[in-house]
Amino acid sequence: MSAAIPLSPLPLSVRSPGKVILFGEHAVVHGRPELLLTVDLYLQAGFSSAPEFELNGEPAAARKHPYLSAARSSLWSDAYGGVSIDVVSRIPRAAGLGSSAAFCTALTAGFSAVRGGVEPSLLADRSFAIERKAQGVGSPGDTSAVVAGGVVSVNGGSGTILWELSDGDQHWKVRRVSDPGWIWLVVYSGVPRQTADAVRAVGRRLAEPDGPRLLEQFESVALEGIDAVGSERREAVGPLMDRNHALLREVGVSHPRLEALLDAVRPVAEGAKLTGAGAGGSIVALIRPGHEVEATRRARRAGGVPYVVRTSSTGVGLVASGPGRVRSAPRDDADDGARG
Ligand code: PMV
């Protein structure tokens, strides 16, 4: 469980994990269950006082930096002065691995720390509001997982309720799921995409006559998946991932590059699927123990960028205050407009 963010003056530094969605992406936007696992790829953001607002050494422009702009207008007051934010990240952008959620939660945690600190449930609520404002659509699954760390379910399972969030029409219950401690292979296809476009396209697909039937199938696979992961029934998890992928393909968010990566890793995987919004982005696979190296070779030969990951046991948190703030990221990290 993530600790509360304590009051902290500038300079301060925040670290947030990335995430993969094991079951239920897209369906969660329509109130159905989802299972997310935070991974040990991290984004770190250093905050220090400055005359103006800056991101990675450049003036922060609202059009170029929608997440920072949303966080600033919701959580900051000019009375506090300017802030210079430097971001370094191992989470590839627009890849379905939670870089936007990590960035949103880091901004929310950093600004909230200066303003007096914040409890995890309010941090999750604020981070969702900022991601929603910048992105226009979506569920609180990604931001809640990144705040909580470990493994969490949304709208399903029987674990402890961490918090409940709503946006008026929709309501989401976020619960703790116990971490089975497995190794996962994540492979980025190199095809960036916009979460909001994929979410809108799936919304149109689910409005067709067979939409309710598809949503029922998403729901049943995700509920079985939440139970199988939480009770460490590995033999059940792989086939459920395959079934979830077939549904995602049916609603139109697979991509030839994702299918090529899935074909490449399947001989050594217990199960595999696209993860996140799809239409590009990444896959996640549960690899047969001992075959991780072979799986990464297969993924690389198929043109992907592989990451062997484990669960991050911690969510967003302050890592340091005072001297030692993180160094500036390379220039191409300075645009927050197309994360995912
Ligand atoms: O691709 P990502 O990391 O932005 O994940 C999106 C998950 C969706 O279910 C497609 C959208 C959402 O907000 O839950």
Side-chain angles (χ1 to χ4, degrees), residues 35-38 149-153 175-180 229 311-312:
L35 182 68
L36 307 101
L37 179 135
T38 52
V151 187
V152 302
S153 65
R175 296 175 190 266
R176 171 59 67 208
V177 175
S178 80
D179 173 24
V229 169
T311 312
S312 169

Side-chain angles (χ1 to χ4, degrees), residues 174-333:
V174 179
R175 296 175 190 266
R176 171 59 67 208
V177 175
S178 80
D179 173 24
W182 300 332
I183 293 173
W184 305 85
L185 177 73
V186 174
V187 189
Y188 176 40
S189 65
V191 180
R193 83 291 170 282
Q194 296 283 354
T195 300
D197 295 343
V199 167
R200 290 195 180 98
V202 171
R204 288 191 293 275
R205 175 67 184 84
L206 292 173
E208 289 178 18
D210 62 344
R213 174 187 63 83
L214 286 167
L215 274 175
E216 291 307 314
Q217 292 178 7
F218 273 110
E219 173 154 4
S220 98
V221 167
L223 288 177
E224 284 183 56
I226 292 166
D227 189 55
V229 169
S231 55
E232 298 183 27
R233 283 184 298 109
R234 214 182 145 104
E235 70 294 347
V237 172
L240 287 164
M241 292 171 75
D242 293 339
R243 276 173 59 195
N244 198 156
H245 182 73
L247 289 168
L248 289 162
R249 203 169 43 207
E250 199 166 339
V251 298
V253 287
S254 193
H255 184 282
R257 295 283 295 275
L258 295 177
E259 293 298 324
L261 293 176
L262 290 167
D263 289 346
V265 302
R266 270 193 190 113
V268 289
E270 295 172 28
K273 62 184 277 292
L274 73 81
T275 185
S282 302
I283 65 158
V284 57
L286 185 58
I287 301 300
R288 284 199 263 125
H291 290 74
E292 293 81 6
V293 173
E294 186 184 346
T296 60
R297 281 201 198 113
R298 286 172 165 275
R300 213 174 268 124
R301 275 202 301 269
V305 183
Y307 301 84
V308 175
V309 298
R310 288 179 182 274
T311 312
S312 169
S313 58
T314 54
V316 62
L318 298 193
V319 288
S321 56
R325 58 184 261 253
V326 295
R327 300 213 331 267
S328 293
R331 287 284 293 262
D332 68 351
D333 252 17

